[in-house]
Amino acid sequence: MRRKYVLISVLIAVLSVVTTSTAQADTYRSRAERWEFTVQMRYLDGQTMSFDGGTSLDVNSDVGWGFGFGYNFNEHLALNFDVGWSSPSYDATIVSADTPPLADQRASGELSTSSLHLNLLYNFIAGPITPFVTAGIGSTFVDSNIAYGPPSNSCWYDPYWGYYCGYYQPTYSENRFSYNASLGVRWDLARDSFLRASIGSYWIDMKNSGSQNFTSGRLEVGFMF
C-alpha cells in the first residue's frame, strides 16, 4: 500500500507541474510525423484472484519497468508498442481436492511477469500540454517460479560461448491475452523530450480464473526524433 501512495503522489506532482506550466509554447515543436522512445515506471495495484475449486491468490502491489516505441501520425493520433516486466510477491491459499478435503495450505512466492502491448493513443490538444486516452491489446507471460518437475540437463549452441550444457528447471507458467485502457496528461518539456503520466486498468484473461482487472499507473520519460 505504501508504494501505491508514493506512486500516486508522484503522478499528482507531475500533473500539478503540467497544468501550471505556461512557458513551453516558445520551445514547442510539433510531434506530428515523428518517432518517439519512452522509459517507463509502472505501478500495478494488488489484486485477489479466485480460481476454480476455491484456491485463491493475493497478488501484492508492485512497481515495474518498461520501455516503448511509437509513431505520431499527427498531433493527435499515435501508435505505440510497449514492453514491460515486474516481479510482484504473492500469498496463496491452496484448497484440497481430496475427499474428504485436507486442511488448506498456505504458500508465498514471487511471480515473474513480462508483457507486450500495441496501443492506440489519442491526444485531445495539438500543443505541448494535452490530456490523452489510450487503449491496447497484447500478451502477458506469467511465471509462478514454482517447480513442477525435476530439473533437466540440456545442451545448445550459444552465440557467444559456443556449445554449452546446463540445467533447466521447468516451472508453472502461462502466456495469456491481456488488454488495457488509460487516461492521462502529456507535457512536451522541450523540442525533443516529454513526460507522460497516466492511470487506468489492466486486464489479464487467466486460466481457471477469468478476466482479472488490475489498477495501473505509469510515469514515462520520452524522447522524440
Side-chain angles (χ1 to χ4, degrees):
M1 290 297 293
R2 183 178 179 183
R3 284 185 291 185
K4 173 182 178 180
Y5 292 124
V6 169
L7 183 59
I8 291 176
S9 298
V10 171
L11 294 178
I12 291 174
V14 171
L15 294 177
S16 299
V17 172
V18 168
T19 54
T20 58
S21 176
T22 58
Q24 296 308 119
D26 294 337
T27 61
Y28 176 68
R29 178 185 174 187
S30 173
R31 57 182 165 265
E33 300 181 348
R34 300 182 68 187
W35 293 89
E36 59 188 37
F37 170 77
T38 60
V39 178
Q40 307 162 358
M41 182 177 71
R42 301 179 172 195
Y43 170 79
L44 201 64
D45 200 11
Q47 171 79 336
T48 298
M49 298 186 291
S50 298
F51 295 84
D52 295 345
T55 293
S56 63
L57 191 69
D58 291 325
V59 181
N60 299 313
S61 302
D62 189 55
V63 174
W65 304 94
F67 61 89
F69 296 93
Y71 181 74
N72 295 284
F73 297 102
N74 50 49
E75 287 275 12
H76 298 283
L77 190 63
L79 185 67
N80 299 315
F81 176 73
D82 292 337
V83 178
W85 58 92
S86 63
S87 300
S89 60
Y90 67 86
D91 299 295
T93 300
I94 303 171
V95 176
S96 172
D98 294 337
T99 304
L102 302 176
D104 293 348
Q105 301 294 313
R106 302 289 190 270
S108 298
E110 185 177 273
L111 301 174
S112 297
T113 73
S114 58
S115 63
L116 303 172
H117 281 92
L118 189 65
N119 305 308
L120 193 63
L121 183 146
Y122 184 81
N123 297 300
F124 288 97
I125 299 173
I129 301 176
T130 175
F132 68 85
V133 294
T134 182
I137 60 174
S139 177
T140 298
F141 176 76
V142 181
D143 189 342
S144 69
N145 292 313
I146 298 175
Y148 73 80
S152 59
N153 186 34
S154 300
C155 299
W156 60 90
Y157 286 97
D158 185 88
Y160 181 79
W161 297 104
Y163 187 73
Y164 177 81
C165 293
Y167 285 96
Y168 168 73
Q169 175 62 66
T171 58
Y172 290 100
S173 60
E174 59 179 346
N175 201 46
R176 307 301 297 176
F177 174 72
S178 55
Y179 49 103
N180 66 87
S182 302
L183 56 87
V185 174
R186 175 187 174 121
W187 178 22
D188 287 3
L189 297 166
R191 295 172 61 86
D192 300 316
S193 61
F194 63 92
L195 288 177
R196 215 163 35 205
S198 61
I199 296 176
S201 291
Y202 185 96
W203 294 270
I204 306 176
D205 287 342
M206 298 295 293
K207 184 178 180 181
N208 300 323
S209 184
S211 181
Q212 300 295 324
N213 180 9
F214 294 83
T215 299
S216 62
R218 283 194 192 186
L219 181 61
E220 303 176 69
V221 179
F223 307 92
M224 292 180 287
F225 51 95

